[in-house]
Amino acid sequence: MTINPTADRWVGRSLARVEDAALVTGRGQFIDDLATRTGTLEAAIVRSPHGHAVIRSIDVTEALNAKGVAAVVTGEDVMRLTRSMTVGVKADVECWPVATDRVRYVGEPVAIVVAANRYLAEDAAEKVAVDYEVLPAAVEPVAALKSDALVLHPSLGSNLINERSFSYGDPDAAFASAPRRVKVEVTYPRNSCTPIETYGVVASYDPGEDAYDILANFQGPFSIHAVVARALNVPGNRMRLKTPPSSGGSYGIKQGVFPYMILMGVAARIAGRPVKWIEDRLEHLAASVSATNRVTTLEAAVEPDGRITALAWDQIEDCGAHLRAPEPATLYRMHGNMTGAYAIENLSIRNRVVLTNKTPTGLNRGFGGPQIYFALERLMQRVARDLGLDPLAVIRRNLVPADAFPYRTISGALLDSGDYQTALDRAVEEGGLDELKQRRDAARAEGRLYGIGMAAVVEPSVSNMGYITTVLSPEQREKAGPKNGAQATATVAIDPLGAVSVKVASVPQGQGHRTVLSQVVADALGLDPKTISVLADVDTSRDAWSIASGNYSSRFAPAVAGAAKLAADRLRVKLAEIAAAQLNVKTDDVDFAKGRALSRTNPDNSVSFARVAAAAHWAPGTLPGSVDQTIRETVFWTPDELQAPTREDEVNSSLCHGFIFDFCGVEIDPATGETRIDRYVTMHDCGTILHPAMVEGQVRGGFAHALGAALLEEYAYGADGSFQSGTLADYLIPTVMEVPEPVILHHESPSPFTPLGAKGVGEGNCMSTPVCIANAVADAIGADDLTLPLSPSSIAGLLARLDESEEPQPKMTPKPAEELSPGGQRKLTGEGAADVAASREDVWRMLLDPATLDAIIPGSHGVEKVSETQFKADVTLGVGPVKGRYKADIALSDLDEPNAVTLTGRTVGALGFGEGSGRITLEDLGSGRTRIAYSYEAAIGGKVASVGGRLLDGAARVVIGQFFKALANHAGGGKVPGVGWFGRIKDLIGGGR
């Protein structure tokens, strides 16, 4: 009897995820669930309310004397105990994890307060007094490059921190001879992936060893371990980094937790006890990391049939206030793939990295891909439109031929495998493109706005560590030494009872590491996946890892699972030799199946796997001479295809290259500007599929993220750098109600470069979907210039601006944007009136009485009369989920006693800053009654602006409204319209007396 070794394979099946039992029953082990050492303190961070300001002074005296406070850490402490973090390029600029001389973005850490618990730390943080000199901000990347722009880092001399130009082939000649040129100019906005779990760090310091022990929900890459150790001034073996068993999502975002590892390490050192910090949602939105925003000009040299002979890229990358490692990774990750899925033989690229007064950027699902393909696939549609061609025909005409793989792009990428034409044809047929075109024709015949969009993209995975060095010149790279590869690590171990365990240096955030790895190793050793234990947290002092380790750039299936297969295969070879001796057969006759080692030709001749596997523990003297041990195998795998950039700046920036072809039909509601997705079809070639259900989950997750980027999500900043998307009421993310059911199709072209033939699949729709939807919207309304997100108000604006000479389309007035003050702060206005039982003279006296003002100003801790018309106040104000301490200056002017007065105020505090004025008029109604009428306007900035826009219609609106209502009530208990609403708000936020 002969056994088929491929029968009953586990890889390729949709097994139930072993991770889910704990997660759905609330037994996940996330960082905030884990027990801490006795005596662990907690930290709160004082953050900048300004986008750009000089720090004149920081007074921590009152905070240090507050209840339960153990330490207050400032930039001076951090500079004394650490070194500047590594900057992503060679530049005369320092990068600290906390503000030192000035703040450069809203939310930048200014001080860390460490106390017995988070509540006391937050209370004490309000007592840290920071004196700022506010500076103009550089927010828009193009404007930040101008000669008159205010420079963020004086040592740098400008806001341009890096510039490089590249040329491949002969683009100048191609453009000179081209019959047509087609150009697009696009701006890709900032967005983020907002995982359920925010950042978390628990740090301790051992003064005897001068060593740090840090637990963080960090996803890697572990090249950052060297950055953190260097910043903390210790060798790598004295900076132990651990990750929790569970992580509530990341999508790239949690690589950005590393500056807080440094800060909490310093805090633990100064406090002399472990310190824990868990980021709140407001902090995460305003100050973690986001995707880069990019301004791109892309031009193509085009033949009459739509064939593109050359591309010219001009990219301006906005990396925020600091260029933190691994940036500018987002700009260079796609460098080998700048021609996308197309065979284009001439290419020029100009890359500029600019600094602005916004949050430093980092990795975000699909990093680099969304920015590239939004420009490239908008260009493809523009080529088709300008030449009067079918967009599908233009895509087909330019695709890499099926017989060209492995295909070397002009900028150096080695596309490993694929048949793009067949995948596209299958998508068109199985996804029903012809039917969708019929729907479009029918809808347009009825006067409806219906469009079809397409996108063809290459999805890179398993990044080459060397791609980032393309930011350096060949001479700089030669001096620094070569960097290349994508090392993945896995260990397979056998215990004395023959049980198998797997350990990898990849931090899961929901991808199902334990399930898939158990399948891979089970196939290699002939076991049931249920019998295999997988450990997926990381401890740099315990585990095998390299600087390329981590969970990023869709490297799990092709690289990490592949390394686990190689480790299991090595053990299998050794075990086969032991089994051959026990079964008295030749080694090549041994197979492993169903928990036994057996003869292929005589399956009845078998022995249990446990007996064979445990021999190295119990009877090492019986092992064949060719076998040293079967206890443990660790594999460090890096593919030969990932070489360092050449002197000509060619780089194979990723190992694997999947293919995606998407098309969709959308309808635009002319009355609301809303986009309805009628059908969305996405075809994926991700090589060998290891777990079909989880691949579908990855596609659906990427699609949902991409839908948010296309239609809803944007990090909005005011002209002064104020952050205006600080809550999930302002930064809108899609829910199940907004995400339609996509049609998911697959075409498998196994990669010849990975042990399992797998390629990445987790990021692709973040690259393809935003531009696919944008192309459909452009087709529906006939617009060229589209900027994400395509919200109803933005589409309404596009409709309103359609040229009258074009085919008539329904138009509507765009929803007005919230009015901004000249400085970029939110501008708010209001008015009201109240009848009170007090004379005008009595009310007038109240306005000049400090005791009365103390009683009626919400959250007042005292009012000091400076002069007859000037006052100072110390107040605590709350807006929604946040509350902070303010110093307020109040002035009375334009006095017309006792008829009218103007009240002006300015506040600065933990939540930000605000200023406003209100005109009060007093009308005598007779019988000792007075009507108080008021109108006001206010502008707010800093953190309060980010939480007040939609949540409670602005902090200034609430505060000023409360003041006038309280004045009316204090004067005589008058009936005030709307006072009940304000009262409920007051109760909610805990303001007032």
Side-chain angles (χ1 to χ4, degrees):
M1 177 180 178
T2 301
I3 301 264
N4 181 359
T6 63
D8 299 323
R9 287 180 59 84
W10 296 104
V11 167
R13 297 195 207 177
S14 295
L15 300 187
R17 285 169 33 112
V18 299
E19 295 89 349
D20 290 347
L23 296 176
V24 300
T25 57
R27 291 182 286 114
Q29 293 181 288
F30 302 92
I31 189 167
D32 203 23
D33 298 323
L34 303 180
T36 56
R37 289 166 48 188
T38 300
T40 296
L41 303 168
E42 296 196 46
I45 298 176
V46 179
R47 297 182 180 272
S48 168
H50 303 289
H52 199 191
V54 172
I55 299 176
R56 289 173 174 157
S57 65
I58 303 177
D59 186 352
V60 301
T61 305
E62 190 177 357
L64 278 171
N65 292 328
K67 179 181 177 182
V69 171
V72 179
V73 179
T74 65
E76 182 179 329
D77 301 309
V78 174
M79 293 177 71
R80 174 171 51 87
L81 296 174
T82 73
R83 301 165 66 182
S84 170
M85 296 183 297
T86 301
V87 179
V89 299
K90 301 292 184 182
D92 184 16
V93 64
E94 292 184 327
C95 182
W96 300 94
V98 65
T100 54
D101 57 338
R102 64 171 73 182
V103 293
R104 295 178 172 88
Y105 63 94
V106 169
E108 183 168 14
V110 176
I112 301 93
V113 178
V114 181
N117 57 54
R118 181 65 176 262
Y119 302 97
L120 295 175
E122 293 281 2
D123 289 344
E126 295 180 4
K127 301 179 186 297
V128 175
V130 186
D131 184 15
Y132 296 101
E133 177 188 344
V134 179
L135 301 173
V139 177
E140 296 301 328
V142 175
L145 289 174
K146 294 181 179 179
S147 58
D148 60 348
L150 189 68
V151 175
L152 273 69
H153 298 270
S155 62
L156 191 60
S158 76
N159 294 321
L160 179 66
I161 193 169
N162 182 264
E163 178 175 6
R164 285 219 66 200
S165 293
F166 307 87
S167 182
Y168 305 96
D170 192 348
D172 292 339
F175 274 101
S177 62
R180 296 287 298 269
R181 290 188 175 199
V182 179
K183 182 167 65 174
V184 294
E185 296 178 355
V186 300
T187 299
Y188 199 90
R190 287 188 169 217
N191 52 38
S192 192
C193 280
T194 57
I196 293 176
E197 182 195 39
T198 57
Y199 290 174
V201 178
V202 183
S204 61
Y205 174 73
D206 183 345
E209 297 288 338
D210 188 24
Y212 294 88
D213 191 303
I214 297 175
L215 171 71
N217 52 10
F218 177 64
Q219 75 169 88
F222 280 81
S223 54
I224 298 298
H225 181 277
V227 174
V228 175
R230 181 182 183 278
L232 289 172
N233 275 323
V234 294
N237 60 2
R238 293 211 292 270
M239 207 292 285
R240 182 183 189 183
L241 174 59
K242 300 173 292 184
T243 66
S246 301
S247 178
S250 173
Y251 319 107
I253 299 302
K254 284 177 182 165
Q255 61 79 29
V257 73
F258 74 90
Y260 297 100
M261 300 182 200
I262 300 168
L263 290 181
M264 296 309 137
V266 172
R269 180 173 181 172
I270 292 175
R273 288 159 62 182
V275 173
K276 177 180 180 179
W277 169 72
I278 303 295
E279 182 185 52
D280 66 36
R281 181 61 62 183
L282 295 171
E283 291 179 293
H284 185 80
L285 284 169
S288 57
V289 295
S290 74
T292 60
N293 54 292
R294 185 179 299 177
V295 178
T296 300
T297 300
L298 175 60
E299 188 171 18
V302 187
E303 296 294 313
D305 63 355
R307 185 172 60 89
I308 297 174
T309 60
L311 291 175
W313 290 87
D314 188 333
Q315 303 182 112
I316 300 174
E317 185 86 331
D318 177 0
C319 286
H322 302 281
L323 193 63
R324 288 180 180 164
E327 292 287 34
T330 304
L331 182 59
Y332 281 90
R333 180 198 182 191
M334 304 291 293
H335 195 80
N337 304 98
M338 299 298 288
T339 52
Y342 308 117
I344 301 171
E345 297 304 316
N346 301 286
L347 176 68
S348 68
I349 305 169
R350 182 189 186 191
N351 287 341
R352 285 174 284 176
V353 182
V354 63
L355 302 180
T356 63
N357 292 114
K358 290 184 279 192
T359 307
T361 60
L363 311 186
N364 193 81
R365 193 171 192 169
F367 67 102
Q371 294 87 342
I372 288 292
Y373 289 120
F374 190 79
L376 183 57
E377 295 303 299
R378 288 292 296 126
L379 176 74
M380 299 302 290
Q381 187 188 61
R382 186 74 63 84
V383 168
R385 192 208 63 179
D386 286 4
L387 273 62
L389 301 172
D390 181 352
L392 185 61
V394 174
I395 290 173
R396 276 196 175 109
R397 190 157 290 129
N398 287 285
L399 287 175
V400 174
D403 60 0
F405 292 95
Y407 174 80
R408 181 75 70 176
T409 71
I410 191 64
S411 54
L414 186 61
L415 307 186
D416 47 335
S417 65
D419 185 345
Y420 298 171
Q421 289 83 356
T422 298
L424 183 147
D425 291 342
R426 283 189 54 206
V428 167
E429 180 179 353
E430 297 172 32
L433 180 58
D434 288 341
E435 179 193 351
L436 208 59
K437 289 181 177 179
Q438 292 172 7
R439 290 194 196 183
R440 179 179 63 181
D441 295 343
R444 289 182 173 180
E446 297 173 3
R448 289 149 53 199
L449 303 179
Y450 194 106
I452 293 176
M454 302 174 187
V457 312
V458 168
E459 177 181 4
S461 54
V462 189
S463 291
N464 179 357
M465 288 187 296
Y467 79 83
I468 190 61
T469 64
T470 314
V471 72
L472 305 175
S473 69
E475 294 74 22
Q476 290 172 323
R477 291 198 300 267
E478 185 174 352
K479 183 177 180 180
K483 293 181 175 60
N484 67 281
Q487 200 164 67
T489 310
T491 298
V492 178
I494 299 175
D495 73 10
L497 297 180
V500 176
S501 62
V502 183
K503 180 73 190 74
V504 292
S506 180
V507 182
Q509 286 96 34
Q511 297 94 330
H513 281 29
R514 293 172 58 200
T515 302
V516 173
L517 290 172
S518 68
Q519 290 176 270
V520 170
V521 174
D523 275 344
L525 301 180
L527 301 172
D528 189 310
K530 294 179 181 178
T531 67
I532 295 173
S533 173
V534 178
L535 188 63
D537 58 337
V538 171
D539 182 335
T540 59
S541 293
R542 174 196 68 193
D543 303 325
W545 60 281
S546 79
I547 66 167
S549 296
N551 184 8
Y552 60 101
S553 74
S554 292
R555 70 195 307 270
F556 170 71
V560 177
K565 171 180 169 51
L566 295 178
D569 285 347
R570 287 186 186 178
L571 276 178
R572 179 188 173 108
V573 170
K574 294 182 178 182
L575 291 169
E577 294 191 49
I578 298 173
Q582 294 182 359
L583 298 172
N584 196 26
V585 298
K586 293 182 178 180
T587 301
D588 58 8
D589 187 34
V590 174
D591 193 19
F592 294 89
K594 298 183 178 179
R596 301 189 70 80
L598 65 158
S599 166
R600 293 175 183 271
T601 55
N602 180 17
D604 292 334
N605 181 16
S606 67
V607 65
S608 71
F609 175 86
R611 179 173 176 178
V612 176
H617 283 284
W618 297 106
T622 66
L623 301 184
S626 58
V627 177
D628 54 352
Q629 54 82 30
T630 58
I631 293 174
R632 178 184 298 261
E633 282 292 337
T634 296
V635 164
F636 287 84
W637 173 79
T638 190
D640 295 335
E641 292 78 12
L642 297 184
Q643 298 298 316
T646 68
R647 283 202 61 82
E648 291 73 34
D649 291 315
E650 298 163 335
V651 60
N652 185 24
S653 39
S654 295
L655 176 68
C656 310
H657 299 86
F659 175 71
I660 302 173
F661 176 69
D662 289 0
F663 66 87
C664 68
V666 307
E667 184 170 358
I668 307 299
D669 187 330
T672 64
E674 183 179 5
T675 299
R676 179 183 68 84
I677 298 178
D678 187 30
R679 178 187 295 173
Y680 197 99
V681 178
T682 181
M683 164 63 80
H684 288 253
D685 181 352
C686 62
T688 302
I689 295 176
L690 306 185
H691 191 292
M694 279 196 270
V695 166
E696 179 164 326
Q698 289 288 338
V699 172
R700 288 177 181 273
F703 176 63
H705 269 138
L707 191 72
L711 301 178
L712 299 171
E713 301 179 36
E714 180 184 13
Y715 270 31
Y717 288 85
D720 64 342
S722 57
F723 183 60
Q724 298 174 351
S725 305
T727 73
L728 294 181
D730 297 276
Y731 185 82
L732 302 180
I733 59 176
T735 71
V736 292
M737 301 301 293
E738 288 79 38
V739 181
E741 186 78 8
V743 178
I744 301 173
L745 304 172
H746 291 286
H747 181 83
E748 291 186 70
S749 298
S751 173
F753 300 155
T754 67
L756 291 163
K759 308 178 186 182
V761 71
E763 302 175 277
N765 278 100
C766 287
M767 305 179 188
S768 61
T769 296
V771 68
C772 184
I773 292 175
N775 280 341
V777 170
D779 184 48
I781 66 176
D784 286 334
D785 298 323
L786 300 179
T787 300
L788 302 183
L790 294 168
S791 62
S793 60
S794 67
I795 292 179
L798 291 170
L799 291 172
R801 292 191 297 271
L802 286 175
D803 192 279
E804 295 297 332
S805 64
E806 295 180 358
E807 180 181 350
Q809 300 278 11
K811 294 182 174 63
M812 60 185 257
T813 302
K815 179 182 177 181
E818 185 171 20
E819 187 180 3
L820 297 178
S821 70
Q825 305 135 10
R826 293 184 184 271
K827 185 177 180 181
L828 305 165
T829 60
E831 60 183 13
D835 297 346
V836 297
S839 67
R840 282 188 299 172
E841 290 75 14
D842 287 342
V843 173
W844 186 266
R845 283 192 293 271
M846 293 176 192
L847 294 175
L848 301 179
D849 178 28
T852 301
L853 290 175
D854 184 32
I856 64 177
I857 292 175
S860 176
H861 299 288
V863 174
E864 174 189 354
K865 186 173 183 178
V866 179
S867 70
E868 288 301 315
T869 57
Q870 291 184 315
F871 304 86
K872 288 185 179 294
D874 183 5
V875 295
T876 294
L877 301 174
V879 181
V882 293
K883 185 173 68 172
R885 194 82 169 256
Y886 282 87
K887 300 295 184 182
D889 293 311
I890 304 166
L892 305 179
S893 62
D894 299 329
L895 282 76
D896 178 15
E897 182 178 359
N899 301 309
V901 64
T902 296
L903 185 146
T904 304
R906 177 171 178 80
T907 60
V908 177
L911 296 183
F913 53 94
E915 56 188 1
S917 63
R919 183 65 174 173
I920 304 171
T921 60
L922 308 179
E923 179 185 353
D924 188 355
L925 299 178
S927 303
R929 298 183 63 81
T930 301
R931 174 165 294 164
I932 306 174
Y934 60 87
S935 62
Y936 65 85
E937 65 177 31
I940 56 175
K943 184 176 180 181
V944 71
S946 70
V947 303
R950 289 195 181 110
L951 186 63
L952 288 177
D953 201 28
R957 188 187 302 277
V958 173
V959 171
I960 294 175
Q962 282 183 328
F963 173 81
F964 287 123
K965 305 300 184 185
L967 175 63
N969 287 339
H970 192 84
K975 298 296 183 181
V976 182
V979 72
W981 183 83
F982 273 101
R984 288 194 297 273
I985 295 298
K986 190 173 182 179
D987 291 340
L988 174 66
I989 65 178
R993 288 247 169 177

